[in-house]
């Protein structure tokens, strides 16, 4: 996951300054991805340069506040709508994405879950084909491939669980969080 998309998701909730973004990002991700404040401000500078956020002033303490632009909102929604590739997970981007999705107004969490489930099931089918074509004596490749298959199967089960928990909370009158 890029810090860029995480900050855009938070800015979509309203204007923030750097330390707020850092604290809310870490809080939303269960502190599984601590951010250096320098990363936050350098990312904000790039977001501003790319027209995805604008600096809207400073508060009484001199902290610069940033607001997302329409292009930034489009980029954040595009990110939420794009499945995470299994190969792009130095940290568990999917868990972070879902944690931010349930706290971001206007994000259809069910659709985020369904989009990811479809992509994971396609990947699982591809890996099953690879397994059937793998030479039986290539044990190393089969072990790696089966590890990937088990991870994908576990992800589908976890997505099912997330959806069940979310639906149970909604039916009992709680918010989608």
């Amino acid at each position: 996951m890029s810090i860029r998309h995480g900050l855009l998701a938070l800015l979509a909730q309203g204007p923030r300054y750097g330390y707020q973004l850092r604290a809310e990002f870490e809080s939303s991700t269960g502190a599984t991805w601590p951010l250096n404040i320098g990363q936050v401000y350098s990312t904000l500078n790039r977001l501003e340069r790319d027209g995805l956020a604008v600096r809207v002033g400073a508060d009484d303490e001199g902290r610069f506040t940033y607001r997302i632009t329409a292009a930034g909102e489009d980029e954040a929604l595009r990110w939420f709508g794009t499945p995470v590739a299994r190969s792009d997970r130095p940290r568990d981007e999917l868990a972070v994405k879902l944690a931010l999705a349930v706290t971001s107004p206007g994000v259809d969490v069910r659709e985020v879950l369904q989009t990811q489930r479809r992509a994971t099931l396609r990947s699982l089918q591809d890996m099953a084909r690879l397994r059937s074509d793998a030479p039986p004596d290539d044990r190393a490749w089969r072990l790696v491939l089966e590890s990937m298959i088990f991870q994908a199967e576990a992800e589908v089960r976890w997505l099912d669980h997330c959806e069940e928990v979310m639906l149970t909370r909604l039916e009992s009158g709680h918010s989608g969080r």
Side-chain angles (χ1 to χ4, degrees):
M1 169 185 147
S2 72
I3 296 169
R4 168 186 185 104
H5 289 110
L7 296 185
L8 282 173
L10 292 170
L11 286 171
Q13 297 176 33
R16 307 274 196 282
Y17 56 88
Y19 280 95
Q20 280 179 307
L21 288 165
R22 176 182 169 202
E24 290 180 29
F25 183 92
E26 289 180 2
S27 174
S28 294
T29 63
T32 59
W33 191 343
L35 289 182
N36 175 304
I37 194 63
Q39 290 175 292
V40 172
Y41 281 107
S42 63
T43 302
L44 285 169
N45 287 334
R46 286 190 299 276
L47 291 172
E48 193 172 23
R49 175 199 68 201
D50 297 341
L52 302 175
V54 293
R55 192 181 313 176
V56 291
D59 66 10
D60 295 339
E61 295 180 33
R63 297 176 293 205
F64 291 110
T65 303
Y66 293 84
R67 179 182 51 77
I68 196 167
T69 64
E73 289 175 347
D74 290 344
E75 177 66 21
L77 290 174
R78 192 171 18 264
W79 175 64
F80 279 122
T82 303
V84 176
R86 295 219 44 88
S87 61
D88 295 339
R89 297 196 189 168
R91 294 185 169 96
D92 193 348
E93 180 176 357
L94 179 56
V96 171
K97 180 186 275 191
L98 289 175
L100 290 168
V102 299
T103 62
S104 295
V107 175
D108 183 348
V109 180
R110 282 191 199 129
E111 185 55 34
V112 173
L113 287 165
Q114 290 301 320
T115 299
Q116 187 63 45
R117 182 182 288 110
R118 285 189 300 271
T120 303
L121 288 172
R122 277 192 304 274
S123 177
L124 192 53
Q125 290 168 344
D126 293 343
M127 289 183 284
R129 278 192 289 278
L130 285 173
R131 181 173 55 187
S132 67
D133 295 340
D137 59 330
D138 191 353
R139 293 185 307 173
W141 169 235
R142 289 183 75 83
L143 285 174
V144 170
L145 185 57
E146 287 169 352
S147 170
M148 293 165 45
I149 290 170
F150 285 130
Q151 290 172 18
E153 289 171 342
E155 180 172 293
V156 170
R157 286 192 314 273
W158 182 71
L159 291 167
D160 291 341
H161 169 77
C162 290
E163 189 168 49
E164 181 180 314
V165 167
M166 189 182 75
L167 290 174
T168 301
R169 288 185 61 93
L170 289 174
E171 290 171 1
S172 67
H174 293 90
S175 71
R177 292 182 174 183

